[in-house]
Amino acid sequence: MNKSRVPLIAGNWKMFHGGASGIDLAAEVARIAGRLAGVECVIAPPFTALAAVAQTVAELAEQTGSAPIGVAAQNFYPEEKGAFTGEVSAPMLVEAGCRWVIVGHSERRQLFAETDAFVAKKAKVALENKLHPIVCVGETLEERGAGATLDVVLRQVNAAMDALLAGKGAAVVAYEPVWAIGTGKVATPADAQEVQSAIRRAIAERDAALAEKIRILYGGSVKADNAAGLLGQPDVDGALVGGASLDAAGFGTILRAAAELSSRASSA
Ligand code: PGA
């Protein structure tokens, strides 16, 4: 964490809580986040819950006088409208109350064959629609074993570089080593720092001011008990949390860890 960047904690609900339980979870998270300063919170429910969740968090924010937490989609299709059966466009997400969208999650790259070029296009189109893209990058276990971690991650970052530059800080990068997602095998804080500082250096080669400003999250088995160690690293500006975001209390502990580190960083 660095005092010049507000930490961002994002919860990726994946294919869970698409109905009433999602609204309850969103309300609990919004109540916790509303009491914390110095940390930004985003939740990414399934499409079916987006509009209702966005409405719920907006109403809660109005009642409590706090800023609403952000609502993200987990995916979208980068065309405005048309004959794309089953797809959802960026303007539709905005209409549903989203301000964020995850792009290039490894599950989409692996299970739905999304390429670097397609992910870059999504990041660009998201920004054109005033959505903040969370651009996910990360190596597989095999790639790490072959010593190719930085090659793979920087290839993915460079593919989206034009969008990151155009976003001027509105886009966020999430480093998610594929072997750490949903496995309970978290990267060490030092591993995360090594890759995330390399990502920041790659951005600095193109735009030094943006590199200072842009937030780079870590994702992959982040839990209440390992979050503080990861968030304590200078180039870890937050977390993209999967499994542990499905429980408001556990997610709240991660939010509190970020808020505490952020207040310590700003008073240092
Ligand atoms: P996990 O998922 O926290 O369950 O490992 C992270 C993600 O997929 O974004």
Side-chain angles (χ1 to χ4, degrees):
M1 198 170 290
N2 175 301
K3 68 176 171 193
S4 65
R5 299 184 286 270
V6 176
L8 172 67
I9 304 295
N12 173 12
W13 294 1
K14 308 195 180 185
M15 205 164 71
F16 298 97
H17 296 300
S21 67
I23 298 166
D24 292 345
L25 177 58
E28 279 186 74
V29 170
R31 281 194 200 96
I32 295 169
R35 289 194 289 266
L36 296 172
V39 58
E40 192 172 353
C41 174
V42 170
I43 50 175
F47 286 133
T48 50
L50 283 176
V53 161
Q55 196 184 336
T56 300
V57 302
E59 282 168 7
L60 269 171
E62 214 177 290
Q63 281 164 24
T64 57
S66 54
I69 63 170
V71 178
Q74 299 170 19
N75 182 37
F76 78 108
Y77 192 71
E79 294 294 338
E80 197 189 321
K81 58 185 167 193
F84 302 103
T85 302
E87 296 299 328
V88 173
S89 71
M92 291 172 187
L93 297 181
V94 172
E95 203 180 353
C98 284
R99 295 294 171 269
W100 295 82
V101 64
I102 298 171
V103 300
H105 190 280
S106 66
E107 285 152 16
R108 297 222 53 93
R109 291 180 189 260
Q110 293 195 321
L111 302 173
F112 302 97
E114 293 196 0
T115 61
D116 287 350
F118 191 51
V119 173
K121 180 171 182 189
K122 288 196 198 190
K124 175 175 177 277
V125 173
L127 286 162
E128 287 166 359
N129 284 276
K130 306 213 166 0
L131 287 165
H132 298 277
I134 300 176
V135 183
C136 301
V137 298
E139 82 287 3
T140 62
L141 190 56
E142 207 181 5
E143 289 161 343
R144 175 159 283 256
T149 298
L150 290 182
D151 288 349
V152 170
V153 169
L154 296 181
R155 184 202 77 218
Q156 293 171 338
V157 168
N158 280 321
M161 187 63 86
D162 287 347
L164 299 179
L165 296 171
K168 300 185 187 336
V172 168
V173 178
Y175 168 54
E176 297 206 305
V178 179
W179 48 270
I181 295 179
T183 58
K185 283 188 210 141
V186 65
T188 64
D191 284 342
Q193 170 59 24
E194 183 193 358
V195 176
Q196 297 191 198
S197 66
I199 294 173
R200 200 176 305 283
R201 278 198 304 277
I203 297 169
E205 279 171 24
R206 301 291 303 277
D207 183 337
L210 174 64
E212 278 306 301
K213 188 174 170 196
I214 196 166
R215 289 179 291 185
I216 306 176
L217 316 183
Y218 169 80
S221 295
V222 176
K223 308 272 181 252
D225 60 2
N226 61 26
L230 291 156
L231 294 169
Q233 297 297 310
D235 287 301
V236 178
D237 306 314
L240 181 53
V241 184
S245 71
L246 301 177
D247 161 53
F251 192 59
T253 306
I254 299 169
L255 283 165
R256 270 189 289 276
E260 214 165 281
L261 283 162
S262 154
S263 88
R264 244 187 272 162
S266 53
S267 59

